[in-house]
Amino acid sequence: MQVFQEVMQWFVDLGASVMLPIIFFVFGLILGIKPGKAFKSALTIGIGFIGLNLVIGLLTNNLGPAAEAMVDNYNLSLQTIDVGWPAASAIAYGTLLGSMAIIVGILVNVILLVFGLTRTLNVDIWNFWHIAFSGSIVYAATASFALGVFTMITHSMLLYFLADKSAKYVEEYYQLPNMSFPHGASTPGFLLALPLNWVFDRIPGLNKINISAESVQKRFGVFGDTTVLGFIIGVIIGLLASYDMNNTLNLGVATGAVMLLMPRMVSLLMEGLTPISEAASSWVQKRFPGKELFIGMDSALAVGQSSVLSASLLLVPIALLLAVILPGNTVLPLGDLATVPFMICLMAAVFRGDILRTVIGGAIYIATALYVASWAAPLITKSAIASNFDLGGNSSISVLSDGGAWTTILFGGLAENLAWLGIGFVFIVVLCALIYQGKMQARKK
């Protein structure tokens, strides 16, 4: 078991930019792609992820100090610090339970595929840390290792179900055929967006508005261009942070650069993915005629879309404002402010790229996430201590993205109160939903 843990930890420590090329190279060879072509595609995918991470780092390195400046300027003092997803993944993978998440996620995926209960073949192995995170929270609440593993199984099943359901939105809006996002940071927002979109469609006035990045550019010309819009939003954030003119303009240029570079990095990623995606579709159609298979990928493929980025930048000051005005909130959002695009990308797809709906829906989601993250803070702090994570002098930490997702309170809340009975009930509900989905798919054929 110790050797297994060390091997899995070594593989995880490679990071997505190395893990994914290895996985896709082997996957490409299995699909019958020539070794040279498979290697080039896999390497391009890795380079695309490096480029994407560089752009996300540019956003994080500029938004982080601006957010901290706003906190200082307006004397915001909340007892729990949002440490962000990098810390959350370290906490999740920092224990024996967490290191088992990759095996659990793969086994669940294979079993569901064999029995026709999911159409998602998940190759986004690094992001299994999301189920490791929920399992760690349940373990912190109950001290039951078995219940933690059972939580990871149930969470995996839920993610595959939601990935299948959201795949049509991914294809229609992001133009990514045969792909889905079984991503723990994005699928919770998808489920919230469905009822919100139904409500928005029935609000007089709002149901007639469609503020997409394309419509803004058409209406306002150069001032509606996504790069220029990013610059303007960056300048506004700089002014709110009370930056001097030099730093304000630098922040504006940096956010404009993110708006320009992010889609290009996604295009590079897609350049590497396309040959493998096409080969996978041909392989499935040849051996299983009529069967539809989605390649499960990181939702990073969607965060470069202009409406997603525009709405995300607008939500940064809104998130800080909500943290201050919401009664009972204890979390100061910092580390995950740059993760907002991942939280809302599937929401934007449901809202058909409407920036106004995405900002309103995103604000509702963030408000909810702040309360969930406040509730989960003791469990997350306890999990961090168990994984020997450095709290950096903070007595209470949380995570806005995963820590504030409704899945956190679903599993953590049931574990604290009903333990096996509660999570077992969720397992049965998700299993029934997967079986029903499989039967409906078979009936359509």
Side-chain angles (χ1 to χ4, degrees):
M1 182 61 73
Q2 184 178 354
V3 173
F4 164 77
Q5 185 181 3
E6 290 175 355
V7 171
M8 294 309 301
Q9 192 63 51
W10 174 83
F11 195 52
V12 168
D13 290 342
L14 291 175
S17 59
V18 176
M19 282 180 62
L20 283 175
I22 294 173
I23 293 166
F24 274 108
F25 176 67
V26 175
F27 189 40
L29 294 178
I30 293 172
L31 294 173
I33 300 177
K34 293 181 179 179
K37 187 176 180 180
F39 179 76
K40 183 179 178 181
S41 294
L43 184 60
T44 303
I45 291 169
I47 293 170
F49 258 97
I50 288 175
L52 199 59
N53 287 331
L54 287 173
V55 178
I56 292 172
L58 176 65
L59 181 65
T60 304
N61 293 336
N62 284 276
L63 272 185
E68 291 179 7
M70 281 188 269
V71 168
D72 293 336
N73 291 339
Y74 300 108
N75 296 318
L76 308 183
S77 57
L78 296 164
Q79 66 190 57
T80 302
I81 300 298
D82 160 36
V83 293
W85 74 264
S89 63
I91 293 169
Y93 278 142
T95 62
L96 175 61
L97 177 69
S99 68
M100 294 179 64
I102 292 178
I103 297 299
V104 170
I106 292 174
L107 287 177
V108 171
N109 194 198
V110 170
I111 292 170
L112 293 179
L113 285 168
V114 168
F115 287 96
L117 302 183
T118 185
R119 287 170 286 166
T120 293
L121 172 62
N122 191 9
V123 297
D124 185 25
I125 291 177
W126 192 86
N127 273 319
F128 282 137
W129 75 261
H130 294 281
I131 65 171
F133 189 70
S134 61
S136 298
I137 288 176
V138 169
Y139 180 69
T142 64
S144 171
F145 189 88
L147 188 57
V149 174
F150 187 53
T151 299
M152 292 194 292
I153 293 172
T154 307
H155 194 180
S156 295
M157 292 167 58
L158 179 62
L159 290 179
Y160 292 132
F161 173 73
L162 293 175
D164 286 351
K165 287 297 182 185
S166 60
K168 70 174 183 178
Y169 294 94
V170 172
E171 178 174 1
E172 290 172 3
Y173 184 64
Y174 293 113
Q175 300 298 303
L176 297 173
N178 303 317
M179 290 192 187
S180 64
F181 297 150
H183 195 180
S186 303
T187 52
F190 166 72
L191 202 60
L192 177 62
L194 294 175
L196 284 178
N197 197 50
W198 185 89
V199 172
F200 293 158
D201 282 341
R202 284 153 182 80
I203 298 178
L206 184 60
N207 56 11
K208 303 296 183 184
I209 299 174
N210 181 20
I211 307 177
S212 65
E214 293 77 15
S215 65
V216 171
Q217 184 169 352
K218 184 177 179 180
R219 188 178 186 89
F220 296 100
V222 66
F223 292 102
D225 180 84
T226 53
T227 305
V228 177
L229 190 61
F231 171 79
I232 294 172
I233 295 174
V235 168
I236 292 172
I237 293 175
L239 294 174
L240 290 173
S242 297
Y243 275 3
D244 58 27
M245 185 58 65
N246 182 18
N247 287 326
T248 298
L249 292 175
N250 272 280
L251 180 59
V253 173
T255 51
V258 169
M259 297 291 279
L260 178 66
L261 294 174
M262 188 83 83
R264 299 192 180 186
M265 292 303 103
V266 173
S267 296
L268 181 61
L269 195 58
M270 286 306 302
E271 182 183 327
L273 277 171
T274 299
I276 294 176
S277 178
E278 291 175 349
S281 298
S282 299
W283 190 89
V284 171
Q285 291 302 318
K286 184 178 179 180
R287 289 163 177 78
F288 307 97
K291 187 177 178 65
E292 187 179 23
L293 185 68
F294 306 132
I295 304 300
M297 281 296 299
D298 192 322
S299 55
L301 290 173
V303 300
Q305 204 276 338
S306 52
S307 292
V308 175
L309 284 175
S310 299
S312 300
L313 290 172
L314 291 170
L315 282 167
V316 169
I318 292 174
L320 289 169
L321 176 63
L322 287 171
V324 175
I325 66 175
L326 289 176
N329 170 60
T330 64
V331 174
L332 177 62
L334 282 177
D336 261 339
L337 287 176
T339 310
V340 172
F342 291 86
M343 296 171 66
I344 68 168
C345 63
L346 284 177
M347 299 183 78
V350 174
F351 298 143
R352 301 177 295 278
D354 189 319
I355 295 176
L356 179 60
R357 290 193 183 198
T358 305
V359 169
I360 295 172
I364 294 171
Y365 184 21
I366 289 173
T368 305
L370 286 169
Y371 280 122
V372 177
S374 297
W375 167 83
L379 294 176
I380 294 172
T381 304
K382 189 175 180 180
S383 299
I385 294 171
S387 63
N388 297 316
F389 179 79
D390 183 6
L391 297 180
N394 299 301
S395 60
S396 178
I397 64 170
S398 194
V399 185
L400 184 63
S401 55
D402 275 53
W406 56 264
T407 50
T408 299
I409 201 167
L410 174 68
F411 294 116
L414 290 174
E416 275 201 320
N417 297 285
L418 300 173
W420 281 100
L421 180 64
I423 296 178
F425 175 75
V426 176
F427 174 85
I428 292 171
V429 170
V430 176
L431 180 60
C432 289
L434 286 165
I435 293 172
Y436 176 77
Q437 176 177 264
K439 287 183 176 179
M440 292 299 294
Q441 182 67 17
R443 189 175 298 175
K444 287 180 182 179
K445 297 177 184 177

